[in-house]
Amino acid sequence: EPEVTQTPSHQVTQMGQEVILRCVPISNHLYFYWYRQILGQKVEFLVSFYNNEISEKSEIFDDQFSVERPDGSNFTLKIRSTKLEDSAMYFCASSLRGSGNAGELFFGEGSRLTVL
Amino acid sequence: SQQGEEDPQALSIQEGENATMNCSYKTSINNLQWYRQNSGRGLVHLILIRSNEREKHSGRLRVTLDTSKKSSSLLITASRAADTASYFCATDKDGANSKLTFGKGITLSVRP
């Protein structure tokens, strides 16, 4: 069964360092998302991506964050200068249809980011 | 405004009992979805109900939607220990097509 894969599963970094989290969405999906979940808390939307551009982003997704789909298969989230409060589990998701068209999201297993 | 607020926050039941979880939301929606998350894992889609539907079934799952009250419920019948997980409702916004907003989730514990 097709699945969303994420790497790394866990990354530890020093505050101020750049981090890139990678995702390989399901191959025929068209919509891509990043969410994050601070331990034990709600799943927060960061950004959605469609047709090679950001379609929506949250207040969390400030200038320190960027996304790319460099080669038609990978979907990356870059945090330019990490802060302690960026420590969280980051989930990539993809869907064939948009949410308004009953698009079901398929999530990866997450990348745990620990900022020291 | 906060979309997708579930209650209760935690639920503990005995294996074989039914589990009912509720979700309320604030804005008009196109559809509402329920997801499950095992500890430390990704979310898995369970069931979707469109705004023009009132009830839907999938195996041991039954979801209802009341758009006049802006609420939904997820019923798991004949629960099993393996149903122990966190459950989230997720809503989109009517007219939008870009994101789902998740609630805080309900932690369900099913005692064997």
Side-chain angles (χ1 to χ4, degrees), chain A residues 11-73:
Chain A
Q11 179 151 0
V12 181
T13 190
Q14 294 290 326
M15 192 168 56
Q17 293 296 304
E18 176 183 285
V19 160
I20 297 176
L21 305 178
R22 293 184 167 79
C23 170
V24 179
I26 294 173
S27 60
N28 64 333
H29 282 186
L30 302 175
Y31 296 81
F32 313 108
Y33 312 83
W34 284 100
Y35 285 82
R36 80 174 186 189
Q37 185 179 35
I38 295 170
L39 186 62
Q41 298 188 26
K42 67 184 299 183
V43 178
E44 300 176 295
F45 170 78
L46 293 179
V47 66
S48 58
F49 193 87
Y50 170 72
N51 202 26
N52 283 320
E53 61 183 21
I54 290 173
S55 44
E56 191 168 352
K57 59 184 181 180
S58 71
E59 291 175 354
I60 302 168
F61 195 89
D62 62 20
D63 292 345
Q64 294 301 312
F65 289 85
S66 62
V67 288
E68 256 192 337
R69 187 157 160 80
D71 56 11
S73 63

Side-chain angles (χ1 to χ4, degrees), chain A residues 84-110:
Chain A
L84 294 176
E85 54 264 38
D86 293 329
S87 295
M89 182 75 96
Y90 288 79
F91 290 104
C92 173
S94 68
S95 65
L96 183 59
R97 297 184 298 273
S99 63
N101 196 20
E104 166 192 342
L105 268 59
F106 290 79
F107 282 82
E109 291 292 338

Side-chain angles (χ1 to χ4, degrees), chain A residues 33 35 42 56 99-100 109, chain B residues 2 31 37 41 97-98 100:
Chain A
Y33 312 83
Y35 285 82
K42 67 184 299 183
E56 191 168 352
S99 63
E109 291 292 338
Chain B
Q2 192 73 44
N31 61 78
Q37 183 183 36
R41 306 291 299 272
N97 200 30
S98 59
L100 287 181

Side-chain angles (χ1 to χ4, degrees), chain B residues 29-49:
Chain B
I29 60 172
N30 292 314
N31 61 78
L32 184 144
Q33 305 185 33
W34 284 91
Y35 286 77
R36 166 197 168 123
Q37 183 183 36
N38 286 358
S39 181
R41 306 291 299 272
L43 286 84
V44 177
H45 179 264
L46 293 176
I47 194 165
L48 177 150
I49 186 164

